[in-house]
Amino acid sequence: MADKKLNTVRINAGEWRSRLIKFPDATGLRPTPERVRQTVFNWLGQDLSGQTCLDLFAGTGVMGFEALSRGAVAATLVEKSMPAYKAMLENKQLLKAENANVLHQDALQFLNTNKQKFNLIFLDPPYNEAWLPKVLPLLAEYLQNEGLVYVEAEYALESTQGNAQGWQVIKQSRAGNVFYHLLKSV
C-alpha cells in the first residue's frame, strides 16, 4: 500500500482538485512538490482561463494537468520516457482531459518541429544533464507576448548576465534541493 502512495501526486486546485494521478518508478522522475506547485500557481494568479501551456520534460504531467484543472484551454505535455508517457495517457483518460496533447518525443525534436506559441511553458528537465543551457535560449520564440517560463533546477538562475541569459527572473524560491523560478524574456 505504501508503494502505491509513493507513486501518486495530487492535483491542488480547480476542476480536478484532490484527484490523484499515477506515475511509474523511473530514474530521475520527480514530481514537482505540492507546496512548490501551490506557490507557482499563486505566482501565476490561480486561474489560467484562456491560456495555452507547454509542459516540456513533462515527467508525471502534473504541471500540465494542474494548469488544465485551473482553466487553461490547452496543454501540450512532452515526454521522452515511454513509461512516463504511457502513465500520462492513462491519466489523460482518467481525468477526461480532452485538451491535453500528450506527446512521446524528445524535447529538442519537439521544439524543432513545433510552430505553436504558448502563454506559459513549464520547464523541469532532468537534473545534472545540462539541459537548461540547451533549451532555455530557444524558448522565447515559443512564447506569446507577455508569456512566462517556469523553471525548476538544481541551482538558482541569475537574470540576464548569469546562467539565464536573455531572461529576467521575476520570482524565485527554493524548497530543499529544488530551485524554482518564473522568467520572462528580456
Side-chain angles (χ1 to χ4, degrees):
M1 190 69 153
D3 284 338
K4 198 170 195 177
K5 188 161 178 76
L6 289 175
N7 286 322
T8 60
V9 63
R10 183 177 314 278
I11 294 174
N12 287 333
E15 179 184 352
W16 301 316
R17 182 175 191 227
S18 299
R19 297 282 300 268
L20 294 175
I21 61 172
K22 297 176 184 170
F23 62 93
D25 286 325
T27 305
L29 186 61
R30 50 186 166 59
T32 300
E34 187 170 342
R35 76 179 179 127
V36 170
R37 281 184 285 119
Q38 286 173 338
T39 300
V40 170
F41 285 98
N42 283 339
W43 290 349
L44 296 170
Q46 298 293 333
D47 182 6
L48 299 182
S49 293
Q51 304 232 0
T52 56
C53 304
L54 170 62
D55 193 350
L56 201 58
F57 302 95
T60 64
V62 72
M63 295 301 280
F65 289 125
E66 184 87 39
L68 287 169
S69 182
R70 293 169 183 260
V73 292
T76 300
L77 293 78
V78 179
E79 178 54 48
K80 186 177 178 179
S81 160
M82 182 56 80
Y85 165 74
K86 286 181 177 178
M88 284 192 297
L89 286 178
E90 290 171 14
N91 290 320
K92 174 183 174 170
Q93 187 173 10
L94 177 76
L95 296 170
K96 296 181 177 74
E98 316 277 319
N99 296 336
N101 180 20
V102 180
L103 302 173
H104 178 240
Q105 198 170 13
D106 175 82
L108 290 174
Q109 288 174 331
F110 171 80
L111 292 175
N112 284 333
T113 59
N114 175 64
K115 302 290 183 235
Q116 184 179 356
K117 290 188 181 258
F118 302 91
N119 301 105
L120 180 59
I121 298 175
F122 299 109
L123 182 60
D124 183 9
Y127 287 0
N128 302 311
E129 294 185 21
W131 277 106
L132 285 180
K134 290 181 223 168
V135 175
L136 198 52
L138 306 175
L139 294 185
E141 72 180 89
Y142 299 99
L143 281 178
Q144 297 279 2
N145 288 339
E146 306 301 315
L148 298 171
V149 176
Y150 166 75
V151 178
E152 266 184 55
E154 66 274 28
Y155 52 85
L157 295 178
E158 305 293 330
S159 288
T160 58
Q161 300 306 321
N163 52 10
Q165 288 190 345
W167 297 93
Q168 179 185 357
V169 179
I170 55 175
K171 300 258 186 188
Q172 63 184 352
S173 194
R174 179 180 180 181
N177 294 330
V178 176
F179 293 84
Y180 53 106
H181 317 77
L182 201 55
L183 311 177
K184 72 176 185 179
S185 183
V186 290

